[in-house]
Amino acid sequence: MRDQAQPARGRLPAVSAVAEVGRFTSTAGHAAFGVGRFAVGAVGDLLHGSLPGPADVAHEVRRTFEHLGPTYVKLGQLIASSPGVFGPVMAGEFESLLDRVRPADFAELRAIVVDELGAPPEEVFATFDETPIASASIAQVHTATLHTGEEVVVKIQRPGIAERLAPDVAILERVAGLLEVSEYGRMLSARHVVEDFADGLDAELDFRNEAATMAEWFACLQPGPFGDRVRVPHVYDEFTTQRVMTMERIYATRIDDVAAVRAAGHDGEALCRNLLLSLLDSAFHGGLFHGDLHAGNVMVDDDGKLVLIDFGIVGRFDARTRRILRQLVVDLIVKQDYDSAGRAIFLLGAVHNPGSTARGAEDLKKVTVPLSTTELGSMSYTDLGRQLAAVAKAHDARLPRELVLVGKQLLYVEKYMKLLAPRWKAISDREIYGYMAGILKEAERDRRARNA
């Protein structure tokens, strides 16, 4: 886990009280305008004899998030990738925010390339397409060709993005403090979630961090059995700076494009298995995992390999935490030893009111047992959230911040499972079971070492 003392954010500027108040007023104004638009549309529908439905609500919420700017677009990406939590209508509406945000003015982007690479894009590259192939909250992506002939994509940071993000982050930090008044907010460690969100945004503003992290993540998987099932783009360091990153162009299909994935002959269960195993192995053994697995960042190449991009947000576990997590997974899923699992959660610092061991074990059992028997297609993650909130209230539990980030990735994986392999039970899968057996052996080895 991260140390308690967080490093100062180097790229998000400090925000004055005047700027924060101004942004709050603007945010409230956009929200009110969105409500007004919806009300006018609802009146029009009523006059024509129809009622506004969930799709109308979702459309207006998405429009409002897009008008509010990059911070809310980032939050919208979580909604898009989590239909099990937010519902399929809302999630579907927000999918456009994954990589189809309104592009920035190219003249401003051209100036950034000149500042960063010393020449305009038409000179730096043999060819350069001014029309982006993807446009997201922090940056947009253009295709190009190097003078040596390689096809590449060029990721260019949006102009003035740091100044736009900073006031929103300040507001979210205040809101998070208010949320921790509730049991659910304390369980999720709302302030820590926002702190990590802000730290992630700050790191994303320097593409050199992303390039280094991407190489580190890929390297940490190579000693294991899953390294040949995933790939990341090669980064051209000579054309990569704080605000511009140049990478190998990979032709691939988004993992949530079910029709295209199936038409290419790819096995949906195998893709979900490989994504889950690479996430678990990078977290449990490498100590570094991708922290933003939304559908715009996970693709499938022609050979059926997973292609992961955009490593601006990652999570890290130190060696001690990895040992505790391995034991926790074994206790919950393999051994179903809920007393031991409760002690592991306590060691993670997540429980502030442990109460009786027997009661804590029984509460964990009620929540986790259904996970091994319910098909993902019929599982209600809203109900699961309510159960977790009840357990959190009883024991004053606050999930460590990196565990919340892992949970977010599992929501993403859950979406792809529902799309590509709705009847697949991960815990019954032979390879997943074999991996868990390996984790069990490591956990037992760790336990013997502690008791020696």
Side-chain angles (χ1 to χ4, degrees), residues 103-104 106-107 109-110 121-122 128-133 140-143:
F106 183 72
L109 293 176
R110 186 177 184 274
E122 63 269 21
F128 188 93
D129 191 345
E130 295 184 6
T131 302
I133 59 170
Q140 60 190 55
V141 179
H142 296 256
T143 58

Side-chain angles (χ1 to χ4, degrees), residues 14 158 254 367 404 449:
R158 286 178 174 270
R254 278 176 45 142
V367 173
V404 174

Side-chain angles (χ1 to χ4, degrees), residues 281-352:
D281 202 48
S282 62
F284 285 149
H285 294 118
L288 170 66
F289 61 93
H290 196 299
D292 200 13
L293 291 175
H294 69 67
N297 291 340
V298 184
M299 298 179 289
V300 187
D301 71 7
D302 292 341
D303 296 325
K305 279 190 179 184
L306 291 169
V307 181
L308 269 61
I309 61 173
D310 194 353
F311 281 73
I313 299 175
V314 295
R316 294 181 183 272
F317 290 125
D318 62 23
R320 174 183 178 273
T321 302
R322 294 200 299 274
R323 287 195 299 271
I324 296 172
L325 287 176
R326 286 195 292 266
Q327 188 61 54
L328 176 61
V329 169
V330 168
D331 289 337
L332 283 179
I333 299 177
V334 180
K335 299 173 67 175
Q336 296 181 336
D337 182 347
Y338 302 103
D339 288 326
S340 181
R343 289 191 291 272
I345 292 174
F346 185 77
L347 285 173
L348 288 172
V351 179
H352 299 269

Side-chain angles (χ1 to χ4, degrees), residues 239-261:
F239 302 109
T240 296
T241 66
Q242 178 176 324
R243 295 188 292 168
V244 175
M245 182 160 67
T246 304
M247 298 172 285
E248 163 195 10
R249 185 176 187 182
I250 297 177
Y251 290 91
T253 303
R254 278 176 45 142
I255 195 170
D256 66 342
D257 189 343
V258 178
V261 168

Side-chain angles (χ1 to χ4, degrees), residues 187-255:
M187 181 195 75
L188 292 177
S189 298
R191 284 183 297 178
H192 288 156
V193 170
V194 171
E195 184 178 307
D196 274 0
F197 179 71
D199 290 344
L201 287 176
D202 187 69
E204 278 192 86
L205 294 177
D206 189 336
F207 292 160
R208 294 167 298 189
N209 291 332
E210 179 182 349
T213 302
M214 185 159 55
E216 181 185 356
W217 178 85
F218 185 69
C220 85
L221 280 176
Q222 294 317 295
F226 315 117
D228 61 347
R229 305 184 192 183
V230 296
R231 61 185 292 201
V232 295
H234 170 72
V235 175
Y236 292 88
D237 293 330
E238 62 270 37
F239 302 109
T240 296
T241 66
Q242 178 176 324
R243 295 188 292 168
V244 175
M245 182 160 67
T246 304
M247 298 172 285
E248 163 195 10
R249 185 176 187 182
I250 297 177
Y251 290 91
T253 303
R254 278 176 45 142
I255 195 170

